[in-house]
Amino acid sequence: MPTVPPLERRLGTVDATAIGLGSMLGAGAFAVFGPSAALAGPWLLLSLGLAGAVAYANAVASAALASKYPSSGGTYVYGRKQLGEWPGFLAGWGFVTGKAASCAAMALTFGVYVAPSYAAPLAVGAVVALTGVNLAGITRTALVTKVLLGVVLAVLAFAIVVGIAGPPRGSSAAAVTALSGDGAGSPLGVLTAAGVLFFAFAGYARIATLGEEVRDPTRAIPRAILAALAGALAIYAVLAVVLTLRIPGLLPGAAAPIRELAAPAGPWAEDIVRAGASAACLGALLALIAGVGRTSLAMAREGDLPRALARIGGPHSVPWAAELAVCAVVVALVLSGSLLTVVGFSSFGVLVYYAVANASAFTLRERPVYCPRWLNAAGTTGCLVLAFTLPWASAVTMIVVLAAGTAVRAVVLTTRRRRAG
């Protein structure tokens, strides 16, 4: 097969940071705190701290590896280089399948926020339109992400100010009553809530998957990853504190806690939050499609996905074949009508992905001072603990998907060896 050309380095540190932060401040920022509060009870901040600690370990490992291997694919590449082909495949397959489902969920969430009766057509339109943005070049992706990120930050700031200015809604006693009998606040509840909250931090992986397109990657990628994570952690900490203090009785299980926070100001304030949530969905979806496309490109280069997906071209040097394939898969998931079944395993797959990243970083001989081996070991352990405290149906579904991908790869490799022989 002819050599596949590399992608062009067009992104600066600010661009990469914006893509990472835009991925993290997705729809999760507007919805994740309700179910997490129902699980963690009064220990919501502890769960957030645990999720942030695991995210930090993963971010440090990703930063160290990305500076050594600044190419598309993220942990798929790191696992292959440091641990071998099979761990790399496991990470890549878990990321591609899990995040494809996340793309469909994000698109449908956008559709529901804008017009529930037309959620599916709007979701399909969003996927197609954002794929077009990505095909126009990575700098266009970064520009649109920064615009959407600005909208999201403004809306979150508005909701926080309105929430602080208004009266508390729902008493702490009501919150305790709402949580009683559900195991909220137990050690398992706190860990499960940390697992739910962790995925609000997972966007920094997009910076690593775009590593082949970042200028001066040895310096820029670690800075962008750590800056994006720090920004997201600060914003989530403020949101958690304000939500806990201002709507204590309404927060546990709330489907739209940020909207509840702004509701006292009137319907117009809820409309502003709805617009911000829609922008957050689009920003996260844009970065997700780009990240899944780059990982698919890397897997196609190595023959773990059809090699036709490794084609790069156009005036902006984009992986157009992988991007179009991702678009088609996500549209099919949106229209399948079985999205809830598919999305359940996404969380487990991402934790497997980061467990491989931490294990890969542990094997580095030359490492930056910010990435000690004990932190890599702690990150691996944290990922596995959170993965297996998720609901069993999610874990089993993803294990089946990973096993199916592994079996198919084994058959393909055996067939190739026979033909070569």
Side-chain angles (χ1 to χ4, degrees):
M1 179 181 176
T3 302
V4 178
L7 299 173
E8 296 182 9
R9 299 194 180 278
R10 298 173 179 265
L11 296 177
T13 304
V14 173
D15 295 325
T17 302
I19 289 174
L21 188 56
S23 300
M24 284 184 272
L25 296 181
F30 291 83
V32 75
F33 288 101
S36 299
L39 291 164
W43 304 106
L44 177 63
L45 288 175
L46 175 59
S47 293
L48 182 65
L50 291 173
V54 174
Y56 176 74
N58 298 342
V60 164
S62 298
L65 291 161
S67 63
K68 183 176 176 64
Y69 303 110
S71 59
S72 293
T75 300
Y76 168 72
V77 174
Y78 313 150
R80 285 180 64 93
K81 297 289 187 180
Q82 295 295 134
L83 302 176
E85 292 184 4
W86 282 105
F89 173 80
L90 195 67
W93 183 241
F95 183 85
V96 167
T97 53
K99 288 302 183 181
S102 295
C103 287
M106 202 67 66
L108 275 175
T109 303
F110 165 77
V112 168
Y113 266 103
V114 175
S117 300
Y118 301 95
L122 285 170
V124 171
V127 172
V128 173
L130 295 180
T131 299
V133 172
N134 283 332
L135 291 175
I138 194 62
T139 54
R140 305 299 193 282
T141 301
L143 175 61
V144 174
T145 299
K146 285 186 281 190
V147 172
L148 292 172
L149 177 59
V151 173
V152 173
L153 291 174
V155 170
L156 289 176
F158 165 79
I160 290 170
V161 171
V162 169
I164 293 174
R169 300 177 64 214
S171 67
S172 298
V176 172
T177 301
L179 294 169
S180 62
D182 294 329
S186 67
L188 180 59
V190 171
L191 285 175
T192 306
V196 173
L197 287 164
F198 170 79
F199 301 102
F201 293 103
Y204 51 80
R206 241 63 76 230
I207 301 172
T209 58
L210 301 175
E212 195 171 318
E213 295 162 278
V214 177
R215 297 191 298 269
D216 190 13
T218 302
R219 297 178 61 192
I221 294 177
R223 289 179 178 179
I225 288 176
L226 297 176
L229 178 60
L233 182 57
I235 292 168
Y236 286 142
V238 171
L239 282 173
V241 171
V242 173
L243 289 168
T244 302
L245 293 177
R246 308 312 290 180
I247 57 169
L250 302 177
L251 180 58
I258 308 299
R259 188 176 62 195
E260 295 286 357
L261 188 64
W268 65 273
E270 295 184 62
D271 290 339
I272 290 176
V273 172
R274 187 176 293 108
S278 300
C281 290
L282 292 178
L285 179 59
L286 179 63
L288 272 171
I289 293 173
V292 176
R294 268 61 179 183
T295 302
S296 300
L297 165 69
M299 296 182 74
R301 284 171 168 171
E302 301 293 343
D304 284 334
L305 287 179
R307 294 189 185 275
L309 299 181
R311 294 172 180 169
I312 295 172
H316 303 287
S317 182
V318 295
W320 60 269
E323 291 278 358
L324 291 176
V326 171
C327 177
V329 170
V330 174
V331 167
L333 288 173
V334 167
L335 298 176
S336 68
S338 59
L339 184 61
L340 292 177
T341 303
V342 178
V343 170
F345 61 75
S346 178
S347 299
F348 191 92
V350 173
L351 282 166
V352 169
Y353 177 87
Y354 281 117
V356 173
N358 280 285
S360 299
F362 186 86
T363 64
L364 287 173
R365 293 184 178 180
E366 298 180 4
R367 60 182 54 247
V369 294
Y370 59 77
C371 185
R373 276 196 171 85
W374 69 263
L375 187 58
N376 303 147
T380 304
T381 303
C383 286
L384 295 177
V385 169
L386 292 185
F388 286 99
T389 56
L390 290 169
W392 67 268
S394 300
V396 170
T397 304
M398 191 61 200
I399 289 171
V400 170
V401 171
L402 292 173
T406 300
V408 171
R409 183 176 190 267
V411 171
V412 170
L413 290 178
T414 300
T415 303
R416 288 175 181 169
R417 291 192 191 100
R418 288 176 178 173
R419 289 177 177 175

